[in-house]
Amino acid sequence: MHGLTVAEIERAPGAQAFLHRLFTVREVPTFTIQNAPSVVDYVDLALRGGFPAVVGLSEVARAAWLDGYRDELIYRDATEFGGIRAPERLSALLTAVAHNIAGSPTETSFATAAGIDVRTARTYLDLLEGLRIVERLPAWHSNRFTRLVKAPKYHLTDTGLAAAVIGVDATAVLRSGDLLGRLIESFVVAQLRPLLALALHR
């Protein structure tokens, strides 16, 4: 299950048809967006994330819920279903991924950050992907352009969780251009992913 999109939370009509219109309409009509969100608004939406349980919660309550969810994920779900013997190392790997969302670090970099070997890092990444917490987005590449990046990009499937894992708020995000760009890119992916899944079943 994907997290809720902003369109779903706000019950915006026509969201499901967005990708269809984007790729089939030959001439996209131009129009002026009234009350368009600012960068600050987008950051707030990204920090809220898409877990149904956090919709409507205060910032403090949301942070507490996300912290509890992360601990439940690492110390119960992953341990129970993945046979993890060192959950603190898995937590370190999740933190490394959150710090590098929308980036293409190597598995070796993740292993070094988490203090584990590469094989264990690969196993942990597979587990987190299986639990729908981490998503590896394949790179665009072609054999004709061998210089293009071929490593996947790493995203946490929920940007609110990503921010909670690394302990940042809106002020911290807005002070860092790099983090702002990564968070917004992952947020866009989180908005498009469910729409793409729906489009494939039309």
Side-chain angles (χ1 to χ4, degrees), residues 55-177:
V55 176
L57 293 182
S58 68
E59 183 176 347
V60 173
R62 182 178 68 229
W65 189 93
L66 289 169
D67 284 342
Y69 179 83
R70 177 194 57 200
D71 290 345
E72 191 85 355
L73 169 73
I74 296 296
Y75 294 99
R76 194 191 74 171
D77 295 348
T79 301
E80 180 178 344
F81 296 112
I84 301 299
R85 297 179 181 178
E88 68 280 358
R89 296 294 91 203
L90 178 62
S91 180
L93 180 69
L94 179 62
T95 301
V97 177
H99 275 290
N100 289 279
I101 56 170
S104 302
T106 64
E107 292 175 343
T108 301
S109 298
F110 283 139
T112 300
I116 54 180
D117 61 51
V118 175
R119 290 179 60 186
T120 302
R122 189 174 299 123
T123 298
Y124 284 2
L125 287 168
D126 288 343
L127 173 62
L128 290 172
E129 191 167 35
L131 291 170
R132 302 294 190 268
I133 300 301
V134 167
E135 180 175 28
R136 284 174 276 207
L137 192 64
W140 291 88
H141 67 86
S142 167
N143 290 334
R144 294 177 299 165
F145 302 102
T146 56
R147 296 181 64 184
L148 290 179
V149 174
K150 296 184 179 181
K153 279 195 172 185
Y154 288 82
H155 296 278
L156 263 66
T157 54
D158 187 90
T159 48
L161 178 62
V165 167
I166 60 177
V168 294
D169 59 10
T171 300
V173 173
L174 291 167
R175 284 178 177 172
S176 170

